[in-house]
Amino acid sequence: MEHSPDAFADALSSGDSDQVNRVVDEVESMELEDRAALFDNCFDVCSEIYEDGDGYQRQSAIRFAAALYPRLAYRSVGAEFTDDVLPGAYTVKDTATHRDRLRELYLDALTDDDGRVRRAAAKAIKELALTAEMIGADDELQAMLENLESLATHQPESKTKHIEQAYENVAFHADKPTSLIPHETQDGVTQSDATHSMDRLERYRRYREVGQELNTKILRECTGREAILESAQLLGIERDGDAILYDAEPHTTVHYEFLLNEYRQNGQTAVEQYHEQERWKSEVEHTILEALLEAETSLFKVTAVDGTDKHVIVTDLLSDDDDELEVTDVNLSETAEPGTLLFFRLVSYDEFNMTSGISFPFPADEEDRLLREYEYRTDHVDSQPESVQRFVSFFDLYRDYGIHIQYL
């Protein structure tokens, strides 16, 4: 279709889901610079539709605005964020303007009377938080958290659910506690970390929360521009000079998982460096680091799902051991089905098993193909440890045959 503000406005105003999905997909597939060129005029279209449209049209406007976000900061991964690293004539000030306009729109949408609109805004604001973290804009992250806290104070309970979701999405990147609403048991949870008296799901959530924050710290302290570029090259992610060209936004998360746990500098992964230097700040962080050092990836087959108890039962297809493993994972327990194939890093604690947070799902009928092609592809990842060969091969297979998902 024609890439003009009027054409986009017609599609977004149509109320037709096929037209809306098509324009959102088209804009998301554009190069970052092309999106940036469209941003100002097309953002005005979003604002007008949001002001005048019905609930579905307002939701469509938020989704389109999120797709339109240029994400020019991605061009500076691992480098100081200055005008020099941005493409063309774009400046740091331009990128800040993009984020400011989107942030104002999302905050307004989080108070919308339609839950669909609030849900879209809560999801979209995560991308702004990720960008702020990448460029070290701590003041921007703090401002978002304060805005969300203020919103929650002045909105009815019916709307606070989505504001809480937005807060969690921002707090994860701000290295802050990910709960907006105080819980009476907060102090008890902290004390229970030491005594291991929490039940399994409470411990799982605690490890997941602390683990996400820990990953961010390790990325900041134990990786650099050279490591980021070389690890992207190993994964087959294309580059334009020093700019990393991700095929899809979730591939950023996959890249960082690989950078932390597989890519080696001077014979060590970033996790190994962090552990050796004893940088952990709590016993929980120490426990997570110890588990990550022993964790390995593999291809697993789901044999059963327990949505109530939040775990899946899997068998390891790359091992001679036929034993079934119970893996606690809230998202997988809600989305996986028996027969689904999953590539992930199995992290084992005394009390339970969990994933590192990243998984590559494949359809059940691809099992024979995956096992056959995995053996072939590992032979073409030269001079790398077996675990690196395995991750690279399955990421390649995932791009060809996987069920593509978003990491939230």
Side-chain angles (χ1 to χ4, degrees):
M1 66 170 288
E2 179 187 354
H3 290 174
S4 70
D6 288 342
F8 288 133
D10 289 343
L12 295 173
S13 300
S14 69
D16 182 284
S17 60
D18 289 339
Q19 290 192 51
V20 172
N21 290 337
R22 183 169 65 251
V23 297
V24 169
D25 289 343
E26 285 190 16
V27 171
E28 283 184 335
S29 67
M30 289 181 178
E31 293 292 334
L32 303 187
E33 293 90 335
D34 294 334
R35 279 190 241 168
L38 285 173
F39 184 85
D40 288 332
N41 289 335
C42 289
F43 184 85
D44 289 339
V45 166
C46 292
S47 299
E48 291 169 5
I49 292 174
Y50 180 77
E51 290 295 329
D52 302 329
D54 60 24
Y56 182 72
Q57 290 169 331
R58 295 198 302 277
Q59 179 197 28
S60 300
I62 299 300
R63 290 182 57 212
F64 185 77
L68 188 65
Y69 176 37
R71 302 169 178 83
L72 292 175
Y74 281 23
R75 290 288 191 257
S76 68
V77 174
E80 185 179 357
F81 188 56
T82 64
D83 293 349
D84 293 338
V85 300
L86 293 171
Y90 291 105
T91 66
V92 169
K93 184 177 180 180
D94 293 332
T95 67
T97 299
H98 296 157
R99 296 192 303 279
D100 289 345
R101 299 187 73 185
L102 285 166
R103 183 171 60 253
E104 290 177 9
L105 178 64
Y106 297 158
L107 290 171
D108 191 17
L110 283 167
T111 67
D112 197 277
D113 290 334
D114 194 309
R116 295 172 299 179
V117 182
R118 299 195 301 272
R119 189 181 305 112
K123 178 180 177 181
I125 203 169
K126 181 179 179 68
E127 193 69 35
L128 299 184
L130 171 60
T131 302
E133 179 191 3
M134 289 172 61
I135 64 176
D138 294 340
D139 56 341
E140 201 167 306
L141 286 166
Q142 184 59 38
M144 279 192 275
L145 293 176
E146 292 173 356
N147 291 151
L148 292 166
E149 288 173 346
S150 177
L151 281 185
T153 301
H154 297 94
Q155 294 299 316
E157 185 177 349
S158 60
K159 296 183 180 181
T160 56
K161 172 185 175 182
H162 298 108
I163 298 173
E164 164 76 2
Q165 291 174 353
Y167 186 94
E168 290 176 357
N169 286 338
V170 175
F172 166 63
H173 294 286
D175 198 21
K176 299 287 186 181
T178 55
S179 179
L180 171 60
I181 301 173
H183 298 286
E184 294 178 358
T185 59
Q186 186 97 20
D187 292 338
V189 167
T190 303
Q191 294 173 5
S192 297
D193 284 335
T195 62
H196 300 286
S197 62
M198 293 185 295
D199 68 28
R200 177 179 55 84
L201 282 176
E202 286 178 323
R203 287 196 298 272
Y204 161 81
R205 292 188 175 99
R206 179 64 172 160
Y207 287 157
R208 181 69 80 207
E209 177 183 321
V210 175
Q212 290 173 334
E213 297 167 354
L214 180 61
N215 285 347
T216 300
K217 288 190 283 188
I218 298 174
L219 283 170
R220 288 173 179 167
E221 297 178 28
C222 295
T223 65
R225 184 65 176 171
E226 180 181 356
I228 290 171
L229 294 176
E230 289 186 356
S231 58
Q233 184 176 4
L234 271 176
L235 283 174
I237 298 173
E238 293 186 3
R239 290 166 43 190
D240 180 7
D242 282 349
I244 300 174
L245 308 179
Y246 296 105
D247 293 335
E249 290 172 29
H251 291 182
T252 308
T253 309
V254 173
H255 179 195
Y256 289 162
E257 156 80 7
F258 179 76
L259 177 57
L260 286 173
N261 296 284
E262 299 294 350
Y263 176 79
R264 286 169 169 79
Q265 284 188 309
N266 301 318
Q268 286 188 312
T269 67
V271 168
E272 289 168 344
Q273 290 178 42
Y274 197 88
H275 179 268
E276 183 179 90
Q277 295 163 10
E278 299 184 356
R279 298 192 185 191
W280 60 83
K281 302 299 183 183
S282 69
E283 188 59 34
V284 178
E285 286 191 354
H286 188 203
T287 299
I288 293 171
L289 287 168
E290 292 280 344
L292 285 174
L293 292 177
E294 300 297 325
E296 295 183 350
T297 59
S298 192
L299 180 67
F300 299 90
K301 183 173 184 176
V302 177
T303 60
V305 178
D306 187 336
T308 302
D309 211 25
K310 305 302 181 186
H311 67 248
V312 295
I313 306 297
V314 301
T315 57
D316 188 341
L317 296 180
L318 303 184
S319 170
D320 295 332
D321 189 347
D322 294 331
D323 290 348
E324 292 186 327
L325 296 169
E326 182 178 299
V327 180
T328 300
D329 192 292
V330 172
N331 289 333
L332 290 179
S333 71
E334 295 173 350
T335 58
E337 298 178 354
T340 300
L341 307 174
L342 298 166
F343 178 84
F344 59 79
R345 188 179 311 280
L346 180 69
V347 186
S348 297
Y349 297 97
D350 291 341
E351 312 93 333
F352 57 88
N353 302 306
M354 61 190 290
T355 75
S356 63
I358 300 299
S359 64
F360 304 156
F362 299 91
D365 58 7
E366 295 288 0
E367 180 176 342
D368 290 341
R369 187 209 298 264
L370 292 176
L371 294 175
R372 183 175 62 252
E373 291 205 21
Y374 164 61
E375 183 176 356
Y376 171 78
R377 295 188 189 207
T378 53
D379 293 337
H380 293 76
V381 185
D382 298 331
S383 304
Q384 294 295 333
E386 181 181 354
S387 65
V388 173
Q389 294 179 7
R390 187 183 308 120
F391 195 107
V392 171
S393 297
F394 274 101
F395 182 52
D396 197 23
L397 288 165
Y398 173 62
R399 285 178 287 190
D400 288 344
Y401 308 116
I403 303 169
H404 294 279
I405 59 175
Q406 291 281 342
Y407 300 108
L408 302 178

